[in-house]
Amino acid sequence: MSGVSVITGGAGGMGRATAKIVGRDHTVVLADNRADRLDTAIAELSGLGVPATAVHCDVTDPAAVGALFETAARLGGIASVIHTAGVSPSMGDADYVMRTNALGTVNVNEAFFAIAGEGSVIVNVASMAAYLMPEELIPAAQFPLALTDAPAFADAMRAAYAIAPEEARSGMSYAVSKGFVKWYTSSQAERFNTRGLRIVSVSPGSVDTEMGKLEADAGAGAMVADFAVPRWGKAEEMAELFAFCASDRAGYLTGTDILNDGGVVASMRERVRAAAEKA
């Protein structure tokens, strides 16, 4: 085995699909905040010959994240973390979405930074939503507060999405929180490199998972049908990219985001450009 791979959100569709790949040559630690799904995922992996250690973990709780990494470290050196844990707009209010996606990312990444050895890598999951939000609406100047003053960060983010109607705030919070994931990944690359660590993010488009399909009626379904690749992405397609980013084959890859959205953003930008040309 080539070290330990920690997968947060491991009981979800992309997490399980990733475990099936990295579990071929890594010891797998599967973390999730839903114990029922976690048990099912562990049983599925075991049936495929991929033994995994289950850890019930809420990424918004720094103590729980610390305990997760302590468990992983007891099993061996940490080779990689694939941080898929997150929530969509339909899963909670705007504050919950921001806390889980943004501060949860900080908790997991900072715990990884503190314990991982040279050559380790963390892959964060952002979203194409971060590319679709107008830049002027993303409060990037306040993003560094997440590392120094979490309450002030929460207040600043709340002010940012307060401009949206109540029914749209969770969606705006989601886009901003995933913009934060991209920012964090880029901004911390140099610091991580001082420890010999890599940090990468991937922005999936609409993916055929339980969480992804929650957004089918909130705009994602229309985008899937009307853009470059007219179908939902597969969890396995995302997992292959996550696993590649976490492998030695991607040893020069750090501080960047990879958009894997079936061409949705490209199509939208080209249509806007073509429309402006005709106007």
Side-chain angles (χ1 to χ4, degrees), residues 56-159:
H56 184 234
C57 178
D58 178 354
V59 297
T60 68
D61 180 356
V65 173
L68 163 64
F69 279 91
E70 289 173 4
T71 297
R74 286 196 292 269
L75 297 174
I78 296 174
S80 61
V81 175
I82 296 92
H83 176 45
T84 77
V87 294
S88 70
S90 297
M91 296 173 70
D93 64 22
D95 288 353
Y96 173 69
V97 170
M98 184 62 63
R99 184 169 64 252
T100 303
N101 294 347
L103 294 178
T105 292
V106 173
N107 291 339
V108 171
N109 280 256
E110 293 300 319
F112 165 78
F113 180 82
I115 200 171
E118 184 174 355
S120 298
V121 55
I122 186 163
V123 180
N124 295 311
V125 177
S127 169
M128 72 173 178
Y131 287 82
L132 300 176
M133 174 70 68
E135 287 189 12
E136 60 270 21
L137 296 181
I138 297 180
Q142 282 74 50
F143 282 171
L145 288 170
L147 296 170
T148 60
D149 190 337
F153 172 78
D155 288 343
M157 297 305 103
R158 194 172 296 117

Side-chain angles (χ1 to χ4, degrees), residues 91-225:
M91 296 173 70
D93 64 22
D95 288 353
Y96 173 69
V97 170
M98 184 62 63
R99 184 169 64 252
T100 303
N101 294 347
L103 294 178
T105 292
V106 173
N107 291 339
V108 171
N109 280 256
E110 293 300 319
F112 165 78
F113 180 82
I115 200 171
E118 184 174 355
S120 298
V121 55
I122 186 163
V123 180
N124 295 311
V125 177
S127 169
M128 72 173 178
Y131 287 82
L132 300 176
M133 174 70 68
E135 287 189 12
E136 60 270 21
L137 296 181
I138 297 180
Q142 282 74 50
F143 282 171
L145 288 170
L147 296 170
T148 60
D149 190 337
F153 172 78
D155 288 343
M157 297 305 103
R158 194 172 296 117
Y161 49 73
I163 66 172
E166 183 68 36
E167 65 275 12
R169 288 179 186 171
S170 287
M172 185 168 181
S173 177
Y174 178 79
V176 171
S177 70
K178 292 302 187 176
F180 173 85
V181 175
K182 284 181 57 194
W183 170 87
Y184 179 91
T185 298
S186 176
S187 69
Q188 302 307 305
E190 188 171 355
R191 179 168 70 98
F192 274 47
N193 189 60
T194 64
R195 293 277 316 280
L197 308 175
R198 291 192 298 113
I199 178 171
V200 181
S201 63
V202 174
S203 286
S206 297
V207 184
D208 189 6
T209 62
E210 178 184 346
M211 189 175 87
K213 284 301 182 72
L214 289 175
E215 307 306 318
D217 296 328
M223 285 192 287
V224 166

Side-chain angles (χ1 to χ4, degrees), residues 22-47:
V22 300
R24 297 168 188 164
D25 55 4
H26 289 77
T27 299
V28 173
V29 175
L30 218 60
D32 204 279
N33 69 338
R34 285 180 52 181
D36 56 334
R37 291 200 319 170
L38 195 53
D39 291 342
T40 301
I42 292 292
E44 179 187 357
L45 291 171
S46 179

